Amino acid sequence: MTVSAPTRESLIETIKETIKAKNVELLHMQFVDIEGTLKHVTVTAEQIDQVVDGKVMFDGSSITGYTPINRSDLYLAPDLTTFAVLPWTVEDGYSEARFLCSVTNPDGSDFEGDPRNVLKKTVERAKEKGYSINVGPELEFFLFETDEYGQPTLRTQDVGGYFEPSPKDLGERVRLEIYRALKMMNFTIEASHHEVAIGQHEINFKYADALGSADAATTYKWVVKTVAQQFGLHATFMPKPLAGANGSGMHTNISLFDVEKQENAFYDESDELGLSKTAYQFIAGLMENVKDFVAVTNPLVNSYKRLVPGYEAPCYIAWSASNRSALIRIPATRGAGTRVEIRCPDPSANPYFAFAIVATAGLDGIERQLSAAPAVDADIFAMDVAEIEERGIENLPTNLEAAIDRFEAGEIGRRALGEHSFSEYVALKRAEYDEFRTTVHGWEVSAYQAKF
């Protein structure tokens, strides 16, 4: 028997009952700026009717990548399915809750500069082609000690390695409390473990539709940071905080579901690898477009310190059904679980933009019926330069400036983000790189000051 989705009226009624039962006094209306940074405005629970009607207004001119001051009034339209009581606020007779929101113009239309609206448009375009998009991201993070002022240091709170139990430090305890908080916020957690580098961790949650996964990734980063702070630690999703150690990735698993056939569009049991023609075309689309979208999936100057050989992060454009040194990997699960994993994204990316542009790139391969290059199953990291060139394996851009140049010159960015967000993003990232370029860094002083 098919279970019908709850109606808007029933959702509102359930939310009001929870507010009363949990003594919720404050409601945080959350959204993200162009970089994916979480923002919120807080109202009292007595305003729930105005909240659910999308009548909470804010100044868009104060949000990075949004509106000029002469068109600053914007409104928050909550996604009622994202309502959650915040576990760390619960006291006897008191608690707080949140909604994730889309941003609307005063006339009620979607604001084009809202990253959540950008992803919603990608989902709609896929739907027009008969597909729904499922995404499962894996976000790694580091835990660092803080100083006497509460500012982050580079001292990790453990010296553990991959999958290593760590009874002598706070790592396991912090992950446990993060798990508990996420579970209370309706996450389904699938795994939790120590990662390769010291102080590095990962907690995996169940995949969902593209919008739901972007909401979950945004919430996850906020919860991780909040819980870590309660232990006097700083959690960072910076891609490469420690030189000489593995960086943090956001491996992104993505699949398409054929709505008409009611099946995974990437699976074909008759194929040697169990992959459909659609899957191969999607892979080809990613490989064709990755140089033009890596500025979104890897958005920081620091992102390109991670994408270097020797630290398990992919920097070569290749695919494989098993090879983790390749940019694109096909996990072993087949049938309904068949999916494509792209391994270059990092957790500093705006999840809404990242999932939108990855999906758009893959769909581009399907629309153009591109053919995937032969798989590379050998360890690319073990190859010398001559073999890499002989196989025709290309590199990802090696710095943010090169990535932005490709992004601006290409078509996939405008198609995925829309003209408003595309232009704002390019301007923001060019300013960021220019600031980096003109700053005198510590390495330069130590290398050159005494010598010259």
Side-chain angles (χ1 to χ4, degrees):
M1 182 178 68
T2 302
V3 179
S4 60
T7 64
R8 171 180 167 81
E9 291 72 22
S10 64
L11 277 172
I12 292 173
E13 186 60 33
T14 300
I15 288 168
K16 288 183 175 180
E17 290 173 356
T18 303
I19 287 173
K20 183 177 180 180
K22 300 291 186 180
N23 298 296
V24 175
E25 292 193 15
L26 297 178
L27 299 172
H28 303 290
M29 310 291 289
Q30 300 183 322
F31 62 102
V32 299
D33 67 10
I34 198 171
E35 293 185 284
T37 303
L38 194 65
K39 305 288 185 179
H40 72 211
V41 58
T42 303
V43 300
T44 61
E46 286 78 13
Q47 299 178 68
I48 184 61
D49 289 329
Q50 296 97 302
V51 164
V52 299
D53 286 341
K55 294 181 178 178
V56 175
M57 188 176 69
F58 71 101
D59 175 11
S61 68
S62 297
I63 305 299
T64 302
Y66 271 36
T67 55
I69 197 166
N70 62 326
R71 292 189 292 113
S72 59
D73 287 350
L74 294 173
Y75 289 80
L76 295 171
D79 184 330
L80 301 182
T81 66
T82 66
F83 175 81
V85 175
L86 306 181
W88 55 86
T89 68
V90 176
E91 301 174 5
D92 186 23
Y94 177 87
S95 66
E96 301 169 16
R98 74 84 189 261
F99 290 97
L100 278 168
C101 305
S102 295
V103 180
T104 63
N105 296 305
D107 64 2
S109 61
D110 286 346
F111 169 57
E112 63 179 346
D114 171 27
R116 201 168 189 270
N117 287 336
V118 166
L119 181 54
K120 285 161 66 176
K121 287 185 177 180
T122 302
V123 170
E124 283 300 313
R125 287 195 294 267
K127 185 178 179 181
E128 291 170 2
K129 301 178 187 303
Y131 300 114
S132 61
I133 309 168
N134 290 322
V135 178
E138 304 168 6
L139 293 87
E140 298 167 334
F141 61 93
F142 280 82
L143 291 174
F144 290 107
E145 295 179 358
T146 55
D147 62 20
E148 63 271 28
Y149 303 105
Q151 297 301 306
T153 70
L154 288 178
R155 297 190 303 271
T156 63
Q157 44 67 56
D158 77 74
V159 291
Y162 191 59
F163 274 24
E164 190 172 332
S166 46
K168 295 183 179 179
D169 63 58
L170 293 173
E172 282 188 334
R173 182 63 189 277
V174 176
R175 292 203 308 270
L176 173 60
E177 292 305 316
I178 293 169
Y179 158 77
R180 287 173 171 168
L182 291 171
K183 186 177 179 182
M184 290 177 68
M185 296 178 73
N186 301 317
F187 277 67
T188 299
I189 302 300
E190 296 185 330
S192 172
H193 61 89
H194 198 288
E195 261 297 341
V196 174
I198 59 172
Q200 189 183 34
H201 306 270
E202 182 177 323
I203 301 172
N204 295 330
F205 49 88
K206 186 176 177 63
Y207 77 91
D209 64 278
L211 187 62
S213 277
D215 287 344
T218 300
T219 301
Y220 169 87
K221 290 200 281 188
W222 179 49
V223 171
V224 167
K225 286 180 171 290
T226 300
V227 173
Q229 189 178 49
Q230 294 169 358
F231 285 83
L233 300 173
H234 176 76
T236 183
F237 292 90
M238 179 180 176
K240 185 84 168 184
L242 297 176
N246 281 33
S248 290
M250 183 178 70
H251 300 161
T252 301
N253 295 268
I254 187 167
S255 64
L256 298 181
F257 185 79
D258 189 311
V259 177
E260 181 180 350
K261 295 180 180 178
Q262 288 291 293
E263 63 185 23
N264 187 315
F266 286 173
Y267 178 58
D268 182 351
E269 62 180 351
S270 66
D271 180 72
E272 180 182 2
L273 296 178
L275 299 177
S276 68
K277 181 179 179 180
T278 300
Y280 288 114
Q281 292 172 341
F282 192 92
I283 292 167
L286 294 180
M287 293 181 65
E288 174 83 5
N289 291 296
V290 66
K291 286 186 179 181
D292 293 347
F293 72 65
V294 73
V296 171
T297 56
N298 303 82
L300 306 183
V301 168
N302 182 254
S303 296
Y304 299 84
K305 305 293 179 71
R306 168 180 166 258
L307 297 177
V308 295
Y311 296 98
E312 298 185 18
C315 47
Y316 301 112
I317 304 173
W319 78 276
S320 172
S322 58
N323 183 6
R324 292 177 185 268
S325 67
L327 173 76
I328 298 164
R329 187 177 77 93
I330 313 300
T333 304
R334 289 297 180 268
T338 308
R339 61 194 186 273
V340 171
E341 178 190 63
I342 181 165
R343 297 172 60 81
C344 64
D346 69 56
S348 68
N350 181 333
Y352 300 97
F353 282 171
F355 301 165
I357 207 161
V358 167
T360 300
L363 288 167
D364 179 60
I366 296 172
E367 292 165 11
R368 295 164 59 195
Q369 298 185 333
L370 299 179
S371 298
V376 179
D377 296 325
D379 182 358
I380 304 174
F381 294 148
M383 298 178 187
D384 58 26
V385 174
E387 184 177 358
I388 290 173
E389 291 180 351
E390 183 181 347
R391 288 175 176 263
I393 300 172
E394 297 184 37
N395 285 9
L396 292 173
T398 57
N399 60 63
L400 181 60
E401 183 180 42
I404 289 294
D405 286 344
R406 287 294 303 246
F407 180 70
E408 187 173 25
E411 297 180 1
I412 207 72
R414 282 186 173 86
R415 196 184 313 171
L417 271 58
E419 190 59 45
H420 177 103
S421 291
F422 175 84
S423 300
E424 292 287 341
Y425 191 83
V426 169
L428 178 72
K429 289 300 163 181
R430 287 216 180 278
E432 180 178 334
Y433 190 81
D434 196 55
E435 183 178 354
F436 167 76
R437 181 184 62 82
T438 57
T439 298
V440 177
H441 300 277
W443 180 90
E444 298 171 84
V445 174
S446 63
Y448 302 142
Q449 186 183 35
K451 186 176 180 180
F452 294 102

